[in-house]
Amino acid sequence: MTRLLHIVGARPNFMKVAPVLRAGRARPGVEQFLVHTGQHYDAAMSDRFFTDLELPAPDVNLGVGSGSHAVQTARIMTEFEPVLDRLAPDWVVVYGDVNSTMACSLVAAKKGVRVAHVEAGLRSRDRGMPEEINRLVTDVIADLLLTPSRDADANLRAEGIPDAKIRFVGNVMVDTLLALRAKAAASAAPEAHGVAGRPYAFCTFHRPSNVDREDVLGEILGALDDLAATMPVIFAIHPRTRQRIGEFGLERLAARVTLLDPLSYLETISLVDRATLVLTDSGGLQEETTVLGVPCLTARPNTERPVTITEGTNRLIPSRRAGINQAVAEVLARRADGGFQPGRPEGWDGRAGERIIAALVPD
Ligand code: UD1
């Protein structure tokens, strides 16, 4: 019997664990536990994803909540240690690049429990991003590095990680996207928001580098409002962004933009699939738009997901009003020429969850 302990904490983890849990259930000799750290705790950031993704209720919820990076990381570590002792797994499986990923990896590695990192090897080379620190730390201590794309393999090798620890498995989030695309379409979110059959833009922004500074957030909101003069702009707002707009008093800047609370997974995919374009700073949306063939403008100076540019629909743009407006105009012109096609990088095929279980559980 192989005992797996899967760790999730924040919104982007949930769509990654679902296909692995499913593949594990289908494999004899696998026993699985799901630990939720409680990094995200609002119904809109967590519970609704469990419903949409048909995830089982977590076996354990550490209930850590929000805090500074140090406080949140320390709380996760303290709360996770006794759970790890009690469940004594063969593997701790961590996902993505959030604080929960790094915190639980550290606890397991120091106890001599093997760590497998799903979505290993991605690098933005920007240590100003908290996620980049989480990726570096997790990858250096993990025993098995399960990579989503070939650039990730190359990054790990360049950092001196031995080949034996690296396993290319493809992009597990795409498993979820392909499995739920039809169900998402049936949720008819464009109809519910009055944009069905019309051009519209969908956007999300939550990176500290974009939303924690008043001037930068003001530039982004200004550009979204400019675009909203020509087509509906639907902005699904992360709690931290909502908080900052309020603190900085920027509501008026985005007067024409439709501001929505965070949406469920199915609503989001339903809206993205039929959008004219997506504007974002999310990691996941860069990948989802590539697979769906929807143009994506990412307001960041770098990306840890370069295949979304070389093989997909993504483009990096400045977080400045004029630069965003120019990029939007270029996308709309290219779209009118039929210029965007779905991209399908190697291993983005809906079978990554099965390959992850095959890597973890010996035959
Ligand atoms: C975290 C991840 C980020 C990921 C994002 C997706 C880290 C370092 N960052 O960022 O990589 O892209 O999740 O959403 O792990 N809040 C709520 N309700 C919640 C959760 C958070 O209101 O359920 C508010 C709190 O005010 C909190 C703030 O959002 O302080 C930030 O939450 P936090 O978990 O610290 O990071 P995210 O910005 O969500």
Side-chain angles (χ1 to χ4, degrees), residues 278-309:
V278 166
L279 295 112
T280 192
D281 56 15
S282 144
L285 274 173
Q286 296 173 53
E287 299 179 339
E288 286 153 350
T289 48
T290 277
V291 173
L292 297 173
V294 174
C296 181
L297 296 175
T298 301
R300 284 181 43 190
N302 47 56
T303 179
E304 61 289 333
R305 294 168 162 87
V307 290
T308 62
I309 297 176

Side-chain angles (χ1 to χ4, degrees), residues 10-12 38-46 65-69 72 97-100 130-131 134 206-208 238-241 243 282-283:
R11 188 169 59 175
Q39 179 176 344
H40 283 175
Y41 43 85
D42 284 346
M45 299 296 283
S46 180
S66 300
S68 69
H69 285 271
Q72 191 174 58
D97 55 17
V98 302
N99 286 344
S100 303
E131 293 81 3
N134 293 341
H206 73 283
R207 295 257 160 252
H238 186 283
R240 109 186 266 121
T241 310
Q243 212 171 311
S282 144

Side-chain angles (χ1 to χ4, degrees), residues 15-24 26-27 118 146-148 167-179 291 344-360:
M15 31 291 216
K16 293 170 195 163
V17 79
V20 184
L21 279 171
R22 199 172 322 113
R27 177 89 176 229
V118 173
L146 301 158
T147 61
R167 184 78 67 93
F168 173 79
V169 291
N171 189 327
V172 75
M173 217 176 61
V174 175
D175 292 20
T176 296
L177 178 62
L178 298 177
V291 173
R344 197 56 68 83
E346 183 186 354
W348 294 31
D349 60 356
R351 311 289 298 270
E354 293 162 33
R355 289 189 288 266
I356 290 167
I357 288 296
L360 289 168

Side-chain angles (χ1 to χ4, degrees), residues 10-64:
R11 188 169 59 175
N13 296 150
F14 306 138
M15 31 291 216
K16 293 170 195 163
V17 79
V20 184
L21 279 171
R22 199 172 322 113
R25 273 198 297 273
R27 177 89 176 229
V30 176
E31 189 183 17
Q32 308 190 90
F33 293 90
L34 181 61
V35 173
H36 190 328
T37 65
Q39 179 176 344
H40 283 175
Y41 43 85
D42 284 346
M45 299 296 283
S46 180
D47 299 3
R48 272 206 284 164
F49 286 79
F50 275 69
T51 310
D52 277 7
L53 301 166
E54 298 165 18
L55 282 169
D59 296 289
V60 180
N61 192 320
L62 305 179
V64 299

Side-chain angles (χ1 to χ4, degrees), residues 169-215:
V169 291
N171 189 327
V172 75
M173 217 176 61
V174 175
D175 292 20
T176 296
L177 178 62
L178 298 177
L180 293 180
R181 187 177 185 181
K183 193 173 166 193
S187 81
E191 284 77 4
H193 295 288
V195 293
R198 293 206 277 156
Y200 67 91
F202 179 79
C203 51
T204 72
F205 290 93
H206 73 283
R207 295 257 160 252
S209 56
N210 277 331
V211 307
D212 285 358
R213 275 183 45 190
E214 182 177 347
D215 56 336

